[in-house]
Amino acid sequence: MTDFTATRALFDLPDGVIYLDGNSLGPLPRGAAARVAKAITDEWGQMLITGWNKAGWMDLPARVGDRVGRLIGAAPGTVTMGDTLSIKVYQALASALEMRSDRRIILSDNGNFPSDLYMADGLCRTLGPDYALKTVTPEAVEDAIDDSIAVLMLTEIDYRTGRKHDMARLIAKAHAAGALVVWDLAHSAGAIPVDVTGADTDFAVGCSYKYLNSGPGGPAFIYVAPRLAEQVRPALSGWLGHESPFAFDMEYRPGRGIERMRVGTPPILQLAALDAALDVWEGVDMAALRARSVALQQAFIARVEGGCPDLTLASPRDADQRGSQVSFRHPNGYAIIQALIAEGVIGDFRAPDILRFGFTPLYLALEDVEQAADRLCAIMTEGRWDRPEFHARAKVT
Ligand SMILES: *Cc1c(COP(=O)(O)O)cnc(C)c1O
């Protein structure tokens, strides 16, 4: 049984704050500050460039990738870290398209995160006028899979509503139609049990700064199924994905397996933070985490619906259809969230009208969730959100 009181003690959260935004930026794990300080002073400071060998910096993307892999059902040696998620989406898509060179269509849904769609669109423009990104509603994806589709690119959990796709089912359908699949696990890794191996995905990508708590700008991960890893030809063919980077050959030869999905110099300080953040996950049972996440979400929904009828649930009501977040709609969502943050409960707003709350059992208790709901309802019933300062839009929402 996972002890969530013990995991809570491993985080540094500011006093008086209830944090329901770990789905967007995870909080600081206590061990991360010390680990990064050590990487700066003992490694960078003392070892200088010899740190690449002596401190094992060069192997960090693979070592940390294996630790992330454990949380998404990936075998050791099938995940590597680096770059940002947008880059990893591009990289996976480009490789997948090249492997289905007789087809031209990327299929996705219109609830996908815009960056994933922008990246797909940009890649199509580079490849030529006959390449196209096709988007349908999330509900229509399954029926839109046919033998014209080269790649099915989906995000398992909708960033706005928390709606969850049936990954294994859609993969089976895509494979039967001869398409490859790229799954974005941005809101899945560390949020729900994931089994990339069992679901038989071809590619999976995701970020580490959300539920995995690596800090702002933490590196992304990429998984390639072992059955494909030796065939993939990376479009972003950087020197660190080369079979022998320090041979400085004129010609690119892809490295072994997942190593070829590396691009350039890895972000060592961010990887050090992530490595420490992953210590928190040691011994965490994903089924227990999921059960607790659902209990927190259900308690929140019940309390909010009971106390503020003006908010409309935007997430699926059935917990099995949801990830680890709950969203409500309200035309004044932005101002309501600002008022809530001013009162110590941090959630976020997603245009046009979504109030979004992430549930992270590692550091959230039932009392936190109940208090958050009560404060939200008090703000609503007393109209405390309707002040000019809460309507002013900041750069990041
Ligand atoms: C958070 C998120 C991103 C962000 O990409 P970055 O390159 O890390 O900024 C991309 N896609 C999805 C689905 C996300 O949820």
Side-chain angles (χ1 to χ4, degrees), residues 165-235:
H165 271 305
D166 187 338
M167 202 166 141
R169 184 185 169 93
L170 291 171
I171 291 172
K173 173 115 196 236
H175 282 170
L180 286 167
V181 293
V182 174
W183 283 87
D184 189 327
L185 304 176
H187 296 275
S188 309
I192 60 167
V194 180
D195 183 3
V196 292
T197 310
D200 199 26
T201 190
D202 302 306
F203 296 83
V205 294
C207 43
S208 66
Y209 52 80
K210 292 172 179 161
Y211 292 89
L212 300 179
N213 314 308
S214 69
F221 64 83
I222 184 165
Y223 161 87
V224 179
R227 62 189 155 71
L228 298 178
E230 296 294 338
Q231 299 167 39
V232 168
R233 298 204 327 148

Side-chain angles (χ1 to χ4, degrees), residues 37 55 69 116 123 153 200 213 262 267 297 322 329 336 338 352:
D116 297 39
L123 176 59
M153 172 190 80
D200 199 26
N213 314 308
R262 293 176 64 161
Q297 294 179 58
R322 257 191 344 253
R329 286 183 204 281
I336 297 166
Q338 300 321 303

Side-chain angles (χ1 to χ4, degrees), residues 23-24 83-89 112-116 119 154-159 184-187 206-210 217-220 356:
N23 53 311
S24 208
D83 315 301
T84 71
L85 177 50
S86 305
I87 301 288
K88 279 349 214 183
V89 166
N112 204 345
F113 191 77
S115 198
D116 297 39
M119 283 298 191
L154 293 172
T155 297
E156 184 183 20
I157 295 171
D158 184 298
Y159 74 106
D184 189 327
L185 304 176
H187 296 275
C207 43
S208 66
Y209 52 80
K210 292 172 179 161
R356 188 174 71 155

Side-chain angles (χ1 to χ4, degrees), residues 297-342:
Q297 294 179 58
Q298 296 302 88
F300 188 73
I301 294 174
R303 204 118 164 162
V304 170
E305 290 194 321
C308 26
D310 287 352
L311 294 178
T312 315
L313 185 66
S315 301
R317 189 166 292 282
D318 175 2
D320 289 343
Q321 307 290 320
R322 257 191 344 253
S324 202
Q325 63 173 74
V326 170
S327 302
F328 289 92
R329 286 183 204 281
H330 192 282
N332 292 111
Y334 183 80
I336 297 166
I337 286 288
Q338 300 321 303
L340 194 59
I341 293 173

